[in-house]
Amino acid sequence: MDPLSAASKIAGSGLEAQATRLRIVSENIANARSTGDTPGADPYRRKTITFGAELDRASEVELVRVKKLGTDASDFVEEYDPNHPAADERGMVKLPNVNMLIEMADMREANRTYDANLQTIKQTRELIAATIDLLKSGQ
């Protein structure tokens, strides 16, 4: 595979991976205050994503792929709210282990990485178009 096509393919796989990451971060933000329905029930558990490199045998290019979707095993935060439906006998409610600062930083990084991959694809297309124009004018 030629280098320009390989660059497009790699950047495209990066777009897909970051789109998935943005979806996971969005789910975490949307559920940052989702508690259990019954007393003492566990709340929403933060989701995580891991990337890995995968060789595309047809093009012999290493692509970015989602390696694993998982959950964060860190402890839940407890808050005293005896009137909450999910409060236990002590009046404590388990809250999700979602830290909004971390989620916002992850979202910003994923957005920037997505944009960088998109820019790579645009520039690669421009290089391919310029190469074709040079070949046409040389005839």
Side-chain angles (χ1 to χ4, degrees):
M1 174 172 272
D2 69 279
L4 293 177
S5 296
S8 284
K9 195 162 187 138
I10 293 166
S13 71
L15 285 176
E16 288 180 33
Q18 293 306 322
T20 303
R21 182 179 183 193
L22 284 168
R23 183 181 55 79
I24 296 297
V25 169
S26 297
E27 286 179 27
N28 289 339
I29 291 171
N31 288 293
R33 299 288 296 173
S34 297
T35 61
D37 296 331
T38 58
D42 284 345
Y44 174 84
R45 186 169 287 280
R46 178 178 181 261
K47 292 182 180 177
T48 60
I49 186 168
T50 305
F51 299 115
E54 180 180 295
L55 180 66
D56 180 43
R57 295 193 192 282
S59 60
E60 296 182 1
V61 173
E62 282 200 33
L63 305 176
V64 179
R65 294 287 185 226
V66 173
K67 186 176 181 181
K68 179 181 165 192
L69 295 175
T71 56
D72 184 345
S74 64
D75 293 335
F76 296 120
V77 177
E78 287 191 332
E79 183 177 276
Y80 182 73
D81 186 0
N83 296 324
H84 194 283
D88 62 14
E89 63 279 350
R90 301 174 296 132
M92 300 301 283
V93 178
K94 291 180 188 176
L95 298 175
N97 58 348
V98 175
N99 181 327
M100 290 301 287
L101 289 175
I102 291 172
E103 298 306 322
M104 295 306 287
D106 281 354
M107 181 180 286
R108 187 173 185 158
E109 183 182 340
N111 267 328
R112 287 187 175 185
T113 306
Y114 187 93
D115 288 343
N117 282 304
L118 192 58
Q119 192 63 29
T120 299
I121 290 172
K122 287 178 183 177
Q123 289 177 346
T124 302
R125 285 183 181 169
E126 288 173 11
L127 284 170
I128 290 170
T131 302
I132 291 170
D133 287 345
L134 283 171
L135 291 172
K136 285 182 182 178
S137 66
Q139 292 179 354

